Amino acid sequence: MHAIDKAPYHTKSAVLFVIFNRPDTTSRVFAAIRAAQPKRLYIAADASRPGNADDEFLCKQARAVVSVIDWDCELKTLYKEENSGCKEGVSSAVTWFFEHEEEGIILEDDCLPANSFFKFCDTLLERYRHDTRIRHITGCNLQQGKKWGNNTYYFSNMTHVWGWASWKRVWKDYDKNLNKYNNEEIREQLSNIFEDSLIVDCWEHIFEEVKAGKINAWGYQLDFANFFNNGLTIIPNENLISNIGFGAAATHTTDESNIYANIPLVEIEEITNPVFILPEKQADFVILNQAFNITEKRNKENSVRRKVKRWFKSILKQAATFTLS
């Protein structure tokens, strides 16, 4: 006998799909969305960059991919006629989405979801709808097989945006240019979240670069909004999102050999909830250590300290010898 394939889960949540110029990855992610059959689908597409003929062709192809909606669905589109760039393009799309919805799921064109990602988001959007401690639900797990606790998910201070869900109540705090925060106040506040001074150094530098407009990205601003509102992220103990966009065509994730590229998807069945709503600080350190090379920096820092200590001891020894002679 052949096993009967289980019918895919159909999501209750509205879905925002953000696309640009990658018809190949767009097609794969859109197939996963089609399987989940959201009743309300929002598609936001940035326009080609000026003078880029390849972009113009690829953007048209990407839009063609999502033009066929073959399920019962209310569709809204936001198709840009001029290029907005990564920072403005994605953030304005999410703002547009939450102008119409109180909560929902956000997928970019390189974030391939497992089908159970949709059930995971549906369930937890409802469970934590009015719990202001919880600000973000992500589908990606970057722990390389390490599980934290015995439940389906754990809590984190980190904000992962490779396939996520949230509420309008959270996005209203989004500050694209970090205008409400002053550089002088940031280090002290970050130190309330992260005990390691090297981690604080790295986040402080990112904050300054974003505020100065030197980083063309939208996600860090969501990190800071959640940090400074003492928010928690839900992270699954199995990986429900695979970033399939690593490579030369990517804006940021260009290294195809990156350990976070194309992480295999896992389907989950039952969702069990943690009793304690506290961040797993060690889990966060795993991610930050990888992102900021904290161990390497600490080893260098300790090496310098040891050299200074040896030098100081030698000076003291020389001074003692001189005194006794």
Side-chain angles (χ1 to χ4, degrees):
M1 293 179 61
H2 296 287
I4 299 174
D5 291 337
K6 186 177 180 180
Y9 175 81
H10 291 172
T11 185
K12 302 172 185 175
S13 299
V15 173
L16 168 64
F17 189 29
V18 183
I19 68 173
F20 177 39
N21 67 348
R22 306 188 71 177
D24 53 344
T25 61
T26 297
S27 179
R28 293 179 63 187
V29 178
F30 189 61
I33 294 172
R34 177 188 285 124
Q37 297 194 4
K39 294 293 186 182
R40 300 184 309 286
L41 177 63
Y42 296 73
I43 301 176
D46 203 359
S48 59
R49 290 164 290 193
N52 190 321
D54 289 340
D55 255 12
E56 189 172 348
F57 174 71
L58 292 170
C59 286
K60 287 180 180 178
Q61 281 196 317
R63 294 185 187 191
V65 166
V66 298
S67 64
V68 180
I69 308 294
D70 55 5
W71 71 94
D72 182 19
C73 175
E74 178 186 345
L75 176 66
K76 289 184 171 66
T77 58
L78 179 65
Y79 286 1
K80 300 287 184 71
E81 296 183 359
E82 295 182 359
N83 182 263
S84 297
C86 181
K87 177 180 175 180
E88 178 63 31
V90 179
S91 65
S92 63
V94 180
T95 297
W96 167 67
F97 179 60
F98 283 121
E99 285 171 353
H100 296 88
E101 298 288 342
E102 292 295 320
E103 61 189 35
I105 295 168
I106 296 91
L107 289 164
E108 293 183 69
D109 57 9
D110 56 359
C111 299
L112 180 66
N115 182 248
S116 55
F117 165 74
F118 295 98
K119 182 178 180 180
F120 182 72
C121 291
D122 281 355
T123 302
L124 300 180
L125 281 170
E126 180 178 358
R127 179 178 179 85
Y128 296 105
R129 183 171 292 148
H130 304 296
D131 189 336
T132 55
R133 294 172 297 180
I134 313 304
R135 295 175 60 87
H136 191 85
I137 302 165
T138 187
C140 66
N141 179 294
L142 307 180
Q143 295 290 323
Q144 302 176 66
K146 168 69 176 176
K147 290 182 172 57
W148 298 90
N150 298 318
N151 296 293
T152 308
Y153 58 94
Y154 65 92
F155 297 100
S156 166
N157 288 133
M158 302 297 295
T159 305
H160 301 320
V161 293
W162 291 352
W164 57 287
S166 191
W167 301 266
K168 184 177 184 175
R169 63 171 169 81
V170 173
W171 190 255
K172 67 179 177 58
D173 295 323
Y174 184 80
D175 183 1
K176 182 176 61 181
N177 298 312
L178 301 178
N179 290 325
K180 69 176 72 170
Y181 307 115
N182 296 319
N183 294 51
E184 297 77 18
E185 303 170 331
I186 294 308
R187 185 172 189 86
E188 179 182 357
Q189 302 309 319
L190 289 170
S191 298
N192 288 327
I193 305 168
F194 303 106
E195 296 179 358
D196 192 307
S197 61
L198 290 180
I199 292 176
V200 174
D201 288 344
C202 292
W203 277 119
E204 183 180 29
H205 176 70
I206 290 171
F207 175 87
E208 291 171 349
E209 293 286 286
V210 171
K211 192 169 178 66
K214 296 180 180 179
I215 296 178
N216 181 26
W218 68 274
Y220 288 129
Q221 296 88 324
L222 190 56
D223 281 308
F224 291 119
N226 288 337
F227 289 162
F228 301 148
N229 284 280
N230 197 29
L232 294 174
T233 292
I234 291 170
I235 298 183
N237 261 321
E238 301 285 0
N239 186 54
L240 305 180
I241 293 284
S242 182
N243 190 314
I244 58 173
F246 279 79
T251 302
H252 301 294
T253 54
T254 55
D255 180 10
E256 294 181 24
S257 63
N258 190 287
I259 61 170
Y260 299 142
N262 300 295
I263 300 175
L265 294 172
V266 177
E267 297 289 358
I268 59 174
E269 296 291 336
E270 182 185 3
I271 297 175
T272 60
N273 306 297
V275 173
F276 301 103
I277 302 181
L278 294 166
E280 290 284 358
K281 295 284 189 177
Q282 288 302 310
D284 288 352
F285 183 78
V286 169
I287 302 302
L288 292 168
N289 187 38
Q290 176 69 29
F292 297 154
N293 297 315
I294 298 300
T295 297
E296 182 180 340
K297 290 176 181 177
R298 181 72 68 219
N299 289 339
K300 287 181 180 179
E301 184 182 76
N302 291 336
S303 177
V304 171
R305 286 177 179 171
R306 285 193 295 269
K307 288 178 181 178
V308 170
K309 189 174 182 179
R310 286 196 298 268
W311 174 81
F312 188 64
K313 282 184 176 180
S314 70
I315 294 297
L316 289 177
K317 186 176 181 180
Q318 291 174 18
T321 302
F322 178 77
T323 302
L324 292 172
S325 59

